[in-house]
Structures are given as C-alpha cells and as structure tokens.
Amino acid sequence: MAAALAALVHVAPDASAHTSHASHAADDEAAAVSCAGSNTISFSPGLSLPARRTRIGGDGAYTCLSTDPALRSGVSSISGGGWNGCFFSDATTAERITWNTGEQTTVVYHLGNVQQVAGQAVVLVVGRVVKGKFKGHTVASPGLQLTFDPLKCLSKRGVERITGPSTLVIV
C-alpha cells in the first residue's frame, strides 16, 4: 500500500514547472494536494462474515497541503454501495469534498483494495475527480478504519460503523 501511494505521489506535477497562471483553471491543472484526516463509514446492513449488498455512507475531515496555498482543509460526505463483508469488499463510492475556499470536488472511486480483517478495514481506493475543482485528476485515499467490536461480524446486525485515519492525495 505504501509503495502504491509513493508511486502516486511521485507522479504529482511539479508546480514550479507550471508557468501559465492566466486562469484559475490553468492553476488547477498543475495542482497537487495531500491531506490527512479521518473518515467514519457506515454500512447498511452491517458487515457480516458473508458479503452482502450494502449501502455505504459517511463523512470525512482533512487538513491539507497544496500547490494552491489558499486550500488548507476540507470536509466530505461519502456515499455508495456494493458487495461488502468483514473479509471482502467490492463497492463503488463517491466522495463530495467541500474545501475551506468554498469550492467543491466530487471523486468517484471505482478501483479499490479494501482488506477486511474481522471488521478492521485497511483501505487503498483510487478514483478520479469527475466534477468541480481538480476535475480529471487522479485521487488516492489510503486509510485504516477500525471497529471497536470486531466480534459483531458474527452477529446478525454486523459491523455497522468503522472509523479511523485516512489520507487524500490528488495528483
């Protein structure tokens, strides 16, 4: 996971090489953003031993470093669905981020590696900005979301919520 993230960060455009500042859109083309924060994700129905179709919802909050010095933080809402269980995940999610500047970004994550180990999710999702600031850019979001009671995987309700640190890298 660290190697994949390092590869994504390595291909981040060099803002100093960007010489045209004629428009705000041109600035977006050279932007690179790296954020750290946390996410809380809810599953309905909860994660259980066998994978089942679930709806996903949640939110996140990030503190950021960016080639755009005005961009310092963001909050997000997460929605989606797919087949999920305590040991398996195959879902598509959208994250709608509102930056401290008031601008918005919508990311759709289609490609992901989510290792579920008894309700503890080690996540590396890769997506693309489909709308708003940074449209067309690639996004990686690795993180570790934990449940405080992994034995709930054995229950009928399952693991309904996971929470923990997450990062957001836009290149």
Side-chain angles (χ1 to χ4, degrees), residues 62-115:
Y62 303 100
T63 300
C64 307
L65 294 174
S66 174
T67 54
D68 175 354
L71 195 148
R72 296 180 309 278
S73 63
V75 294
S76 71
S77 67
I78 300 162
S79 62
W83 287 91
N84 296 286
C86 286
F87 294 97
F88 175 82
S89 181
D90 181 14
T92 298
T93 57
E95 183 170 19
R96 288 169 188 80
I97 305 159
T98 301
W99 304 106
N100 65 289
T101 60
E103 297 167 291
Q104 294 188 330
T105 296
T106 300
V107 180
V108 174
Y109 299 103
H110 290 294
L111 174 63
N113 181 1
V114 180
Q115 299 295 320

Side-chain angles (χ1 to χ4, degrees), residues 8-92:
L8 284 170
V9 172
H10 179 71
V11 299
D14 179 4
S16 64
H18 185 67
T19 57
S20 172
H21 293 285
S23 74
H24 187 67
D27 289 342
D28 280 354
E29 291 176 18
V33 181
S34 179
C35 303
S38 64
N39 286 330
T40 298
I41 309 296
S42 297
F43 299 91
S44 179
L47 302 175
S48 61
L49 287 180
R52 55 188 171 186
R53 185 164 292 283
T54 59
R55 288 185 318 276
I56 300 170
D59 55 61
Y62 303 100
T63 300
C64 307
L65 294 174
S66 174
T67 54
D68 175 354
L71 195 148
R72 296 180 309 278
S73 63
V75 294
S76 71
S77 67
I78 300 162
S79 62
W83 287 91
N84 296 286
C86 286
F87 294 97
F88 175 82
S89 181
D90 181 14
T92 298

Side-chain angles (χ1 to χ4, degrees), residues 120-139:
Q120 314 308 319
V122 178
V123 179
L124 174 59
V125 289
V126 178
R128 181 155 306 279
V129 177
V130 297
K131 184 178 177 184
K133 187 170 182 71
F134 309 118
K135 184 176 179 180
H137 285 253
T138 298
V139 180

